[in-house]
Amino acid sequence: MATVMLCADEVSLRSPELLGLEGYELDGLPWLACMWDAGLARRALQGPHDISEVWVVSSDEVEPINLAAALKKDAPDVRVALVCPQDSGSVRSRAAAAGIDEVLTMAGFLDRFSSFAKGRGSVEPDAPMKAGSSSGGEVAIPMKVGSSSGSEATAPICEETAPIRPSSKPAEKRGDLAVNATGAATGSRRGYVLTIVSGRGGVGRSTLAALFSLVAARSLLSVAVVDADLQFGDMDAMLGQHDCLRSDQCLRTRDFIPQGAVCPGKVFLVGAPRRMERGDLVRGQIADMVRALRERFQIVVVNTGSFWDEAQLALVQESSHVLFLMDQRPSSVQMVKGCIGLCSRCGVATSPFVFAMNRCRKGEALSGVDASCALGGVKVLEFPDGGPQVEEACSVGRPQALFEEGNALVRSVAEVFSSLYPQVGELSKNILEEMAPPAKKGLFSRFRRGGGS
C-alpha cells in the first residue's frame, strides 16, 4: 500500500521532469499515490488508508495551499507538506495558520523524494534528480537547461518525442548563427529574442506574436514562444496548443525544456498560467526563463501584457529587438511615448526598439507618418488590417491557414521578420513566394456557413 501521497496537476504527473523527477515512473512506485483530482485526494484520506505523509505541489482545481489545508483537516494525523517554488514569510505564515505541517522549497521536496525513494528500495533513474541543497531559499530558473547526464529516454522514439542526441555532423551555417542537426543554437551566439510590447491592450500583440513564430518556423528555425501576458494570455488557444507547458509549471523544475522540444519547423509554447492568481509567482522569473530558452532555440518570441513593471523592463533588456506596437488611436501612440519615457528613466537602452502601427486602414485618425512625428521622427512600420479572417483563424487555433489564403498581414509579418532577422535570408522570401495570392473571399467563410474545419 502507498504510504506517501503526491498531489500535483495532471500535466506534471504525466511528465515527471516538470517536477524535477527526471527518469522516474511515478505510477510505478508502490509507496507513492499520485493525485491530480483534489476531490479524490480528500476522499482517499477520509477513508481507510496507510498514508503517513502528503506533498502538495499544485492542483488543476484549487490553490495548493487551500488543498493542503483541506487535507490536513481531513486527516489530522497525516503530515502535510506544501511545496512552494518561491518560499516566503507570507507563505509560511498562511500555512501555519491553516495548520499545514511544513513548507518545502523545490530543492527540499526533491531531497525528500530522493530520501523516500532510497529508503523504500526504489530503483534510481538513469538521469538522477538535481536535488540541490535542502537548506531552503528560493529556486530560480537556472541559466543552464537540458539534461547534463547525457542519458536518453526509454520511451518509444517518434517524431514528436525523440530525444535530442548529439550530432556527429558539423554545424550548418545560417548567416552568422551556427545551428546543429537538432536546430539548437551552438557556439557563442545565442538565440534571437523578439519581444512584442505596447502601452495598452487590444492592439494585436498576441496575433503578431503567433504570426512571427509561425513565419520563423516555416523558415526551418527552432522556435519558442513565451506568453508573458500572465493573467489574460491566450497564446495556447491562438496556436491550438491547449496542453502546452505553463510558465508556473516551469518554476518547479530546473530543466523545463522537454526532450524533442527543440525541433526546426515547430513551435514550442510556454503558455500563461491556467489560473490568473498564479501570475504573481511567475512574474519575476520570466526574464530568466527567456534567457534559458535562448540558449537552446534560435528564435524566442515573447508576448507581453499591458502592465509595465520591473519584470517587463527585464524582458526588454533581454531582447534582441523590442517591437513597440500601437494602433491608429491617438491614446495608443501617447501610451507608447509614456513607455519610452519609463525606459529612459530606468536606463534601459532604446537601440533595439522597433515601432509599428497595427491594423492600418485608410481614413483613420492617425497614420504611421503621424505616429512617427509624435515619437520624434523615428521610423514607424505599418501592418495592414488583415480583415476578419485573422480573428476567425486565431479564434479556432488555426493561424496557419492565413498563409494558405495569402493574407496581407502575414505577408507583411514575413517581410518585417526578414528585415529584423536577416540571417533567415532567402527562406523568408520563399515563404512569400509560396503563399497563395490574396484571396477575395477568406478561407474561413466556411465556418460561418457551418462547414467543416
Side-chain angles (χ1 to χ4, degrees), residues 402-424:
L402 295 171
F403 290 80
E404 301 169 16
E405 89 167 355
N407 189 275
L409 177 59
V410 174
R411 290 178 173 274
S412 181
V413 168
E415 292 170 355
V416 170
F417 179 67
S418 62
S419 66
L420 295 178
Y421 188 74
Q423 291 92 332
V424 76

Side-chain angles (χ1 to χ4, degrees), residues 225-385:
V225 178
V226 178
D227 195 347
D229 188 353
L230 299 175
Q231 289 191 318
F232 301 104
D234 59 351
M235 294 294 297
D236 56 333
M238 195 166 289
L239 290 171
Q241 297 188 26
H242 299 280
D243 295 328
C244 66
L245 179 69
R246 304 284 171 169
S247 53
D248 54 332
Q249 295 169 342
C250 295
L251 295 178
R252 298 194 291 270
T253 177
R254 296 172 181 270
D255 301 335
F256 66 89
I257 304 175
Q259 289 184 332
V262 185
C263 183
K266 293 186 178 181
V267 176
F268 170 68
L269 172 63
V270 178
R274 291 187 186 276
R275 301 174 67 88
M276 294 173 57
E277 60 268 26
R278 294 187 64 81
D280 288 338
L281 294 176
V282 183
R283 194 175 305 280
Q285 304 285 351
I286 285 291
D288 292 329
M289 193 181 305
V290 171
R291 194 176 299 116
L293 288 167
R294 76 182 306 181
E295 297 292 340
R296 293 284 300 279
F297 290 86
Q298 293 167 270
I299 304 293
V300 180
V301 179
V302 184
N303 176 51
T304 65
S306 302
F307 184 71
W308 282 75
D309 57 4
E310 292 182 359
Q312 188 94 322
L313 292 175
L315 276 176
V316 169
Q317 291 179 302
E318 189 62 33
S319 304
S320 307
H321 279 114
V322 178
L323 182 64
F324 266 90
L325 198 62
M326 66 198 91
D327 56 23
Q328 291 179 291
R329 292 173 291 181
S331 58
S332 179
V333 179
Q334 190 64 31
M335 290 182 179
V336 168
K337 291 178 65 177
C339 294
I340 297 172
L342 174 64
C343 293
S344 177
R345 292 190 298 274
C346 293
V348 176
T350 59
S351 55
F353 293 177
V354 178
F355 300 91
M357 180 169 282
N358 194 25
R359 303 191 186 114
C360 290
R361 296 184 291 262
K362 293 182 179 180
E364 295 294 329
L366 296 178
S367 67
V369 174
D370 297 322
S372 176
C373 295
L375 297 174
V378 299
K379 182 179 180 180
V380 176
L381 306 174
E382 291 188 353
F383 289 110
D385 183 8

Side-chain angles (χ1 to χ4, degrees), residues 12 50 109 163 191 221-222 240 312 315 368 376 379 392 398 422 438:
S12 296
D50 293 324
F109 162 68
L221 301 172
S222 58
Q312 188 94 322
L315 276 176
K379 182 179 180 180
E392 291 172 357
R398 289 192 58 208

Side-chain angles (χ1 to χ4, degrees), residues 160-223:
E160 294 292 335
T161 62
I164 300 173
R165 299 182 174 89
S167 174
S168 59
K169 297 181 181 180
E172 304 174 20
K173 281 281 187 176
R174 291 197 182 105
D176 58 353
L177 178 66
V179 296
N180 59 27
T182 69
T186 63
S188 60
R189 296 280 299 185
R190 296 193 298 166
Y192 172 88
V193 178
L194 175 64
T195 298
I196 302 177
V197 302
S198 71
R200 67 177 301 168
V203 298
R205 291 185 310 269
S206 300
T207 299
L208 285 183
L211 294 180
F212 271 107
S213 66
L214 291 175
V215 167
R218 284 174 173 253
S219 301
L220 303 181
L221 301 172
S222 58
V223 184

